[in-house]
Amino acid sequence: MTHTYLRTALLAGILLAAAAPAHAQLVTPAEKAYQAQMMADTLYIRQHYTKTEYQIPMRDGRKLYTIVYAPNDADKVKYPIMLNRTPYAVGPYGPGTYKKVLGPSSTMMRDGYIFAYQDVRGRYMSEGEFMDMRPEKDTHNGKNDIDEGTDTFDTIAWLLKNGPKNNGRVGQWGISYPGFYTAAGLLSRHPALKAASPQAPIADWFWDDFHHNGAFFLPHAFNFYASFGLPRPTPTPTGNPGFKHGTPDGYDFFLKMGPLKNADARYYKGQVAFWKDLMSHPNYDQFWQERNLRPHLKNLNKGTAILTVGGFNDAEDLFGALEIYKSIERQNPGQRNGLVMGPWVHGGWARGLGELVGNVDYGPSPSQYYQTEIEAPFFKANLKDGKPAATPEATVFESGTNRWRTFDAWPPKEAKEEVLYFQPNGMISFEKPASGAEFDQYLSDPAHPVPSNENMATGMTKEYMTDDQRFASRRPDVLTYQTNVLTEDMTLAGPIQALLQVATTGTDADWVVKIIDVYPNDTPDNPRLLPNVRLGGYQQMVRSEVMRGRFRNSFEKPEAFVPGQVTAVPFTVQDLCHTFRKGHRLMVQVQSTWFPMVDRNPQTFVPNIFEADEKDFQTATHRLYHSPQHASQLTLKVL
């Protein structure tokens, strides 16, 4: 049995989302076999690959540090090149030291490729200045007019000519930030780039990772930039230490930090340049628009096959995977462009078995299926066989039933739109609301925000997207609505369009919508549950999203709420593919705080919300309307 393995170059990005659960879970025989395979792979690399280190010159004269692992028989057999460009270090550096893992998977490492890993401009051992999500340019005037597309082009051209002997074909892959570099690498339009797989790519940082509809994902950004954002004046093989919170209680730490502007004054001390950029640009202004990769993904090389990969439980870059795929599809008719979406956490398709997220079991090794049946054949067909792979347009894992499905489009063309209406008495149904109470209301207090989960953690936990929500449904500042017990299976596939009709006594507010699968009370437990967890009545979150209400009409020009006035707040809840089984219920929770995962809205309109003072944080009463005149609703895509 073949398994994937952890990739050292990506550990920095992956571990940011991977705050460990409070208790270990049962280790299965399959997981023990996986660990043994990892050890065997490490030995295989030393026996079958030769490592060489290069300084590759770019057109402006800067040199990018690149480590190449070539099969020992590369002088006899011409292999294709697999390129990974990363800001997370390509080490270990120096002769005689080897990576413990190579390539996207164990399968591909053993199939034989030339693996080239590059520190991007300004990171670790590469020269030049690093820029977060460096803006791409549609035209380049002169040798000093560079971006990630030109750096990718120059790297490919140099490796083909000066690197190990090769077959003239290049593939590129990467997860998270390296996924962004893979998507940006498409803009090199180098004719030798025959296959590219952006995996969990960052697409636009106003929507991805650190922002969701303008709301700020506080611990994720704070923890990341406390290390990643520190200056690197000269090339170095070492990184920065992570932040020490001094407590395991992130809720308490970030609440005591107070208004967001205290973060720099108390902890960063002016050392993190990009944090200052974040705080100076709360709206979707030119700064963020320049870092939106999507408009540039047009007129791509038709000879490049593309496979975008993401996880439905990716706490970091779900938006990026879906949007990169959709943007390429929309702007490049006829492009060989595929999508794979599995049940994974961030990078979960390339590490571990992908069977378990929190307390939710997805069946035997979705990751192995992807690696052996989708990813390896994709690269082999395009880089070794030189012919298009027979890859479906969209290969998607359907949770609830735990099965893979293929579609000729995503979202599926056969999915029908149906509207789910909020109702009085905690109900939600496909019938329009009639008589009864016109609204539900709750008091939202920024000093006592709703916890984002019931476990103690200082970061955004990787399994929060499947967490049991019973703790939240018991809060008076969380509205809970649910269907009757379902009499047949119901499958949702694609995005959800939320339209909340709300009013507030304040002048600003956030709105969080959570889509939840409520298990029957007699659901049996399984031996892989975390301690003290029972599946009877489990409220599994299957999708969630937050909307910063000030951006309801424009993300560029925020607007205050008029106190007491019923106001429409529309937003998109990201795609899912999930079956609510017969005997289950569909639940929706609505709340206005989600802490510490999302920073606290002061509920008083402040032009730059990140500059709010303590006095700006006020309690407010929020209403959610469900009357015939003001019908709050969710538009679903139902298979």
Side-chain angles (χ1 to χ4, degrees), residues 41-55:
D41 285 348
T42 298
L43 179 61
Y44 184 94
I45 293 167
R46 284 189 167 271
Q47 293 175 337
H48 293 86
Y49 280 86
T50 300
K51 174 187 173 185
T52 309
E53 303 185 38
Y54 302 100
Q55 289 274 23

Side-chain angles (χ1 to χ4, degrees), residues 24-86:
Q25 290 171 296
L26 175 70
V27 177
T28 65
E31 289 167 327
K32 292 179 180 178
Y34 164 78
Q35 296 294 331
Q37 183 65 53
M38 288 175 62
M39 296 178 64
D41 285 348
T42 298
L43 179 61
Y44 184 94
I45 293 167
R46 284 189 167 271
Q47 293 175 337
H48 293 86
Y49 280 86
T50 300
K51 174 187 173 185
T52 309
E53 303 185 38
Y54 302 100
Q55 289 274 23
I56 298 181
M58 299 294 102
R59 63 190 63 187
D60 65 345
R62 298 293 189 269
K63 295 178 181 179
L64 304 190
Y65 204 90
T66 308
I67 299 179
V68 176
Y69 293 82
N72 291 340
D73 60 351
D75 57 334
K76 301 175 183 178
V77 180
K78 291 185 177 180
Y79 292 98
I81 298 171
M82 286 289 292
L83 174 64
N84 181 280
R85 305 186 66 238
T86 178

